[in-house]
Amino acid sequence: MSAQISPLAPKSYAKLTPVDGVTMATAEANIRYKNRTDVLFVLMDKGTEVAGVFTKSKCPSAPVDWCRTSLAQGKARALVVNSGNANAFTGKKGAEAVELTAKIAAKAVNCKPEEIFIASTGVIGEPLDATKFNGVLESCAKQASPDNWMEAAQAIMTTDTFPKLAGRKVLIGDQEVTINGFAKGAGMIQPDMATMLSFIFTDAPIAAPVLQALLKKGADNSFNCVTVDGDTSTSDTLMMFATGAAAKRGIRKIESTSDSRLKAFKAALDDLLAELAQYVAKDGEGARKFVTVSVSGATSNASAKKIAFAIANSPLVKTAAAGEDANWGRVVMAVGKAGEPAQRDLLTIAFGDIVVAQKGARAPDYSEEAASAYMKNAHITISVDLGLGKGKARVWTCDLTKAYVEINGDYRS
Amino acid sequence: MSAQISPLAPKSYAKLTPVDGVTMATAEANIRYKNRTDVLFVLMDKGTEVAGVFTKSKCPSAPVDWCRTSLAQGKARALVVNSGNANAFTGKKGAEAVELTAKIAAKAVNCKPEEIFIASTGVIGEPLDATKFNGVLESCAKQASPDNWMEAAQAIMTTDTFPKLAGRKVLIGDQEVTINGFAKGAGMIQPDMATMLSFIFTDAPIAAPVLQALLKKGADNSFNCVTVDGDTSTSDTLMMFATGAAAKRGIRKIESTSDSRLKAFKAALDDLLAELAQYVAKDGEGARKFVTVSVSGATSNASAKKIAFAIANSPLVKTAAAGEDANWGRVVMAVGKAGEPAQRDLLTIAFGDIVVAQKGARAPDYSEEAASAYMKNAHITISVDLGLGKGKARVWTCDLTKAYVEINGDYRS
């Protein structure tokens, strides 16, 4: 963990209220870090439905392999997350470590191993000694409380400088349900289906296939729109658990994505996912500025997203942001290299509300002074209109600072 | 220009001998820089054949548009290059500036404007005042000498810390011909057909279509294998000029790519292009290490190249190189994110001759000490074997240091 907290961290946190059917505890298992919690154990009521989206990496971690397989049966009783070791590229030993973890956890909560979901984050290539969970998970199960959300978000941090958690309350019919979630991020961030690690919990009674559809769509507009460095982790995991405990309060189970009661829930979930995803960009390694890249007028939404990522991943655009330099020429370059339909002489580029370029040249009333003043903000929006069609996209990123190089040149994470 | 010369710069330069039919001069036109040359004018004999490959950017510079059009007629009499202003994203004014430049140059050498080739490098989006070439090109034409190769390479530098030039002598039949070239690079470097700017000259009598074929193929294995930051310039230009002056010495003109006399010439040209392309990576902004990424065992050469670039462009791999950290987990990550066929459990990764990972896990005899010692070298090779097929590729890059962030956060180039 870095000593210096990101200047983009939230100034305060609202305390999350319990999610009916969910309890948790954290512990120090000394996996890699000393004198800090590095294990999270979340217990969930019988009947909890689960959904997940995972990294598209061709070299996924052992826990990702495990979760993908277990997801098929759609039920969950517990989640184990450790920080300090990603259990990725660990071969047969890695798979064995996951199996042992599931076995220890299943014994602690008295369920089947396939109802245990597992995620690991940290160093790649080091064997993970799962015997360290022996006793630890059992003791966590005994201490688990419905109020440990902040502790949970802290236990899964690696180079993160602040914990990332958020909650929403929303009505299903006339009954209120809760959605809470937390995430971790920092580096190796351009999720390709999900980010590093994020977990969402609700007491709403929603069947796994519906939950999966909601989560996949929600991820596309949140975590899949974030990049820190264009590097996709081996361990990206976004999971959602629905305990269904709110059924006690008379909410009929939601079995179809066309259920009209889902509308408000979906909006609240999307909003929550966006908040967590933005935290990931705001805690990008070395981040000092939060940058929103907004592309419109593309030939399709997919094309707009590729162009937005070309801008958001360009080291030259990101260093210009760090240097508070209104260098829109680099935005032109990034649009040009994206390989998507673009016509130089139709381009419009704005920093905030300041139009800097239009019709293939500098804007007639361009003011370097005004643009430079805007770049001093902590939150910057770069907008590009291609003038070709109706496709649009919005992605979030951060600036590229010397601290990013320092963190990743000095620290084996 | 940076004050600090790249530690990867060549220790000395062999003096280039003249290319029969080529003379040149440089001048200070005060386009942006003060107290240094910023214009190069190269004059070539009547009958000079020309070939070129250019950026695939959708937002090409005005000079790139001009060269593409003029290339159709296949003949060249002069080349004008300026540094300090890229004349890119300059709209109608940019096209007018190129036309005026060609007109001034054509008058100075008494040829048609379309026989003038033009390249510009520097800031994007600033109008280029081509009237600054008035008088300057005329006076260059009068002073032009066959010996100004070093001066030429220096005049086109921007953030480059050393001039990049090289030459070869090769036999066509029993007659020796010369191939000289120079290049500039530094930032915004992942050429997509050619690099920032590079120019090759020969006295060999080679017809334009043959020259074009040689150059395109040569570029694919040299400049198109280089990346500094994954950012593709609006101005990438690689051109080759063949004066044919060696025909006087009895060399019959080469009109076909299947001419057997081309074999040695092609090998020498490829070698020259590779040397210049390597200089570009060695002078990547902030570079302290030269990194060769070698991928084998892919399902195709194209697939291998995509994976090699995913590794070479990964900020995490590049910062690990800067930090002399044998962090092969990040190489696994980059292979995984490339989106190309890969099987985790067949991967072999080596740093230099040290195998660090095989069969999806850390190598059994892995020595952190040996790997770390290797990373202290200025030249590093990262090899990946995918174990799937016969596809292979090799790309060159440099490390990502704080100096890169500094140069690009502080300097509008």
Side-chain angles (χ1 to χ4, degrees):
Chain A
M1 284 187 290
S2 168
Q4 196 185 358
I5 293 169
S6 167
L8 302 165
K11 302 296 168 232
S12 64
Y13 296 89
K15 189 171 162 57
L16 297 191
T17 58
V19 171
D20 205 353
V22 179
T23 59
M24 68 203 76
T26 61
E28 295 183 19
N30 288 305
I31 288 164
R32 183 177 179 91
Y33 308 127
K34 304 291 167 206
N35 305 315
R36 58 156 279 189
T37 56
D38 56 2
V39 177
L40 164 66
F41 197 31
V42 184
L43 290 82
M44 288 163 287
D45 278 2
K46 265 189 192 162
T48 293
E49 310 257 350
V50 59
V53 287
F54 302 94
T55 182
K56 276 185 178 162
S57 170
K58 304 280 180 182
C59 302
S61 67
V64 165
D65 281 350
W66 172 270
C67 289
R68 272 212 181 94
T69 306
S70 298
L71 206 61
Q73 48 83 36
K75 300 284 184 188
R77 288 300 307 285
L79 168 70
V80 183
V81 190
N82 75 273
S83 54
N85 185 318
N87 192 13
F89 213 70
T90 40
K92 206 175 150 221
K93 276 184 200 162
E96 287 166 1
V98 168
E99 278 168 43
L100 180 56
T101 308
K103 215 171 132 186
I104 296 169
K107 200 176 158 208
V109 296
N110 190 23
C111 70
K112 295 183 216 152
E114 60 263 37
E115 292 173 314
I116 304 294
F117 289 81
I118 300 170
S120 298
T121 174
V123 70
I124 295 176
E126 290 274 340
L128 172 70
D129 178 7
T131 63
K132 292 197 171 176
F133 297 126
N134 255 328
V136 169
L137 297 185
E138 207 174 335
S139 124
C140 279
K142 282 175 193 153
Q143 297 159 25
S145 134
D147 289 311
N148 286 337
W149 297 96
M150 176 59 84
E151 290 77 3
Q154 283 167 335
I156 67 171
M157 287 163 69
T158 56
T159 55
D160 303 69
T161 73
F162 63 87
K164 298 159 189 70
L165 65 166
R168 296 288 185 278
K169 299 276 186 189
V170 63
L171 290 178
I172 292 188
D174 58 358
Q175 286 295 322
E176 193 176 69
V177 298
T178 302
I179 319 174
N180 284 356
F182 44 82
K184 61 90 50 197
M188 208 176 275
I189 298 288
Q190 179 174 337
D192 195 4
M193 282 318 289
T195 193
M196 199 65 196
L197 296 183
S198 182
F199 306 99
I200 315 291
F201 303 85
T202 182
D203 52 348
I206 302 179
V210 179
L211 212 57
Q212 184 68 32
L214 287 178
L215 193 65
K216 189 177 175 330
K217 191 133 194 198
D220 278 342
N221 291 314
S222 57
F223 289 108
N224 289 351
C225 294
V226 174
T227 181
V228 169
D229 47 19
D231 277 348
T232 301
S233 160
T234 54
S235 309
D236 288 341
T237 296
L238 167 63
M239 299 193 76
M240 183 163 176
F241 302 92
T243 65
K248 292 181 296 200
R249 303 198 296 276
I251 305 179
R252 194 170 22 88
K253 190 164 183 178
I254 295 175
E255 306 270 12
S256 155
T257 51
S258 56
D259 191 315
S260 66
R261 293 174 300 162
L262 269 182
K263 203 177 162 191
F265 185 88
K266 187 181 174 310
L269 174 64
D270 288 349
D271 201 47
L272 173 67
L273 291 171
E275 182 174 341
L276 290 174
Q278 289 183 23
Y279 287 151
V280 172
K282 286 177 178 176
D283 203 13
E285 285 168 341
R288 298 293 174 263
K289 289 185 192 289
F290 176 71
V291 181
T292 301
V293 178
S294 178
V295 172
S296 59
T299 53
S300 70
N301 288 347
S303 176
K305 198 162 180 177
K306 275 195 193 160
I307 292 169
F309 268 122
I311 298 168
N313 277 325
S314 159
L316 289 171
V317 171
K318 293 164 82 82
T319 49
E324 305 189 331
D325 177 8
N327 197 324
W328 55 269
R330 294 180 182 174
V331 178
V332 174
M333 175 283 300
V335 172
K337 80 162 180 170
E340 290 297 310
Q343 277 179 37
R344 183 183 58 198
D345 298 342
L346 294 178
L347 274 187
T348 302
I349 299 170
F351 287 171
D353 292 333
I354 304 164
V355 176
V356 291
Q358 57 192 163
K359 293 186 187 161
R362 197 163 65 183
D365 56 351
Y366 174 75
S367 154
E368 176 95 18
E369 207 179 338
S372 295
Y374 176 75
M375 296 301 287
K376 298 204 180 298
N377 291 311
H379 289 214
I380 293 169
T381 298
I382 300 174
S383 305
V384 173
D385 188 273
L386 295 158
L388 294 175
K390 293 188 170 178
K392 58 184 183 176
R394 175 263 300 129
V395 309
W396 296 303
T397 189
C398 56
D399 55 346
L400 172 57
T401 66
K402 285 184 215 172
Y404 178 91
V405 177
E406 200 163 77
I407 292 164
N408 287 299
D410 300 351
Y411 169 77
R412 176 83 58 104
S413 112
Chain B
M1 282 189 290
S2 170
Q4 198 185 356
I5 292 169
S6 167
L8 304 165
K11 301 298 168 232
S12 64
Y13 295 90
K15 188 168 164 55
L16 299 191
T17 58
V19 171
D20 205 352
V22 179
T23 60
M24 68 203 75
T26 61
E28 296 184 18
N30 288 301
I31 288 165
R32 185 180 178 90
Y33 307 128
K34 304 293 166 204
N35 305 317
R36 58 157 279 191
T37 56
D38 56 1
V39 178
L40 163 67
F41 197 31
V42 183
L43 289 82
M44 289 164 285
D45 279 2
K46 265 187 192 164
T48 294
E49 310 257 351
V50 58
V53 289
F54 303 93
T55 182
K56 276 186 179 163
S57 170
K58 304 279 181 183
C59 302
S61 67
V64 165
D65 282 350
W66 172 270
C67 289
R68 273 210 180 95
T69 306
S70 298
L71 206 61
Q73 48 83 35
K75 299 286 183 184
R77 288 299 309 282
L79 167 70
V80 183
V81 189
N82 75 274
S83 55
N85 185 318
N87 193 12
F89 213 66
T90 40
K92 207 175 150 221
K93 276 185 202 163
E96 286 165 0
V98 168
E99 277 169 44
L100 179 57
T101 308
K103 216 171 131 185
I104 296 169
K107 200 177 156 206
V109 296
N110 190 24
C111 71
K112 293 184 219 150
E114 59 263 37
E115 290 173 316
I116 304 296
F117 289 82
I118 300 171
S120 297
T121 173
V123 69
I124 294 176
E126 290 272 340
L128 173 68
D129 178 8
T131 63
K132 291 196 173 177
F133 297 127
N134 256 328
V136 169
L137 297 186
E138 208 175 333
S139 123
C140 279
K142 282 176 192 155
Q143 297 159 24
S145 133
D147 289 311
N148 286 336
W149 297 96
M150 177 57 85
E151 290 77 5
Q154 283 168 334
I156 67 171
M157 289 164 68
T158 56
T159 54
D160 303 67
T161 74
F162 63 86
K164 299 161 187 70
L165 65 166
R168 296 288 185 279
K169 299 274 184 190
V170 63
L171 290 179
I172 293 189
D174 57 359
Q175 287 295 322
E176 194 176 67
V177 297
T178 302
I179 321 174
N180 284 356
F182 44 84
K184 60 90 52 195
M188 207 175 275
I189 298 287
Q190 180 174 339
D192 194 3
M193 283 314 292
T195 191
M196 198 65 195
L197 296 183
S198 181
F199 307 98
I200 315 293
F201 303 85
T202 181
D203 53 347
I206 302 180
V210 179
L211 211 57
Q212 184 68 31
L214 287 177
L215 192 64
K216 188 176 175 333
K217 191 131 193 200
D220 279 342
N221 291 316
S222 57
F223 289 107
N224 290 351
C225 294
V226 173
T227 182
V228 169
D229 48 20
D231 276 348
T232 301
S233 161
T234 53
S235 310
D236 288 341
T237 296
L238 167 62
M239 298 192 77
M240 183 164 177
F241 302 92
T243 65
K248 291 180 297 199
R249 304 198 295 276
I251 306 178
R252 196 170 21 88
K253 189 164 184 178
I254 296 177
E255 307 268 11
S256 155
T257 50
S258 57
D259 191 316
S260 65
R261 293 174 299 161
L262 269 182
K263 202 176 163 192
F265 185 89
K266 188 181 174 310
L269 174 64
D270 287 350
D271 201 48
L272 173 66
L273 291 171
E275 182 174 341
L276 290 174
Q278 288 183 24
Y279 286 150
V280 171
K282 287 178 177 175
D283 202 12
E285 287 169 339
R288 299 290 175 265
K289 289 186 190 290
F290 176 73
V291 181
T292 301
V293 177
S294 179
V295 172
S296 59
T299 54
S300 71
N301 288 347
S303 177
K305 197 162 181 178
K306 274 194 194 163
I307 292 168
F309 268 122
I311 298 167
N313 277 325
S314 160
L316 289 169
V317 172
K318 293 164 82 81
T319 48
E324 303 188 334
D325 176 7
N327 196 323
W328 56 268
R330 296 181 181 174
V331 179
V332 173
M333 175 282 300
V335 172
K337 79 163 180 170
E340 290 297 309
Q343 277 180 39
R344 183 183 58 199
D345 298 342
L346 294 176
L347 274 187
T348 303
I349 299 171
F351 288 170
D353 291 334
I354 304 164
V355 175
V356 292
Q358 58 193 159
K359 293 185 187 163
R362 198 163 63 185
D365 56 351
Y366 173 75
S367 153
E368 175 96 17
E369 208 179 339
S372 295
Y374 177 74
M375 295 303 286
K376 298 203 180 298
N377 290 311
H379 288 214
I380 293 169
T381 297
I382 300 173
S383 305
V384 173
D385 189 90
L386 296 157
L388 294 174
K390 294 190 168 176
K392 58 183 182 175
R394 174 263 300 128
V395 309
W396 297 304
T397 190
C398 55
D399 55 346
L400 172 58
T401 66
K402 286 184 214 172
Y404 178 89
V405 178
E406 203 163 73
I407 292 164
N408 287 299
D410 300 351
Y411 169 76
R412 176 83 58 101
S413 111

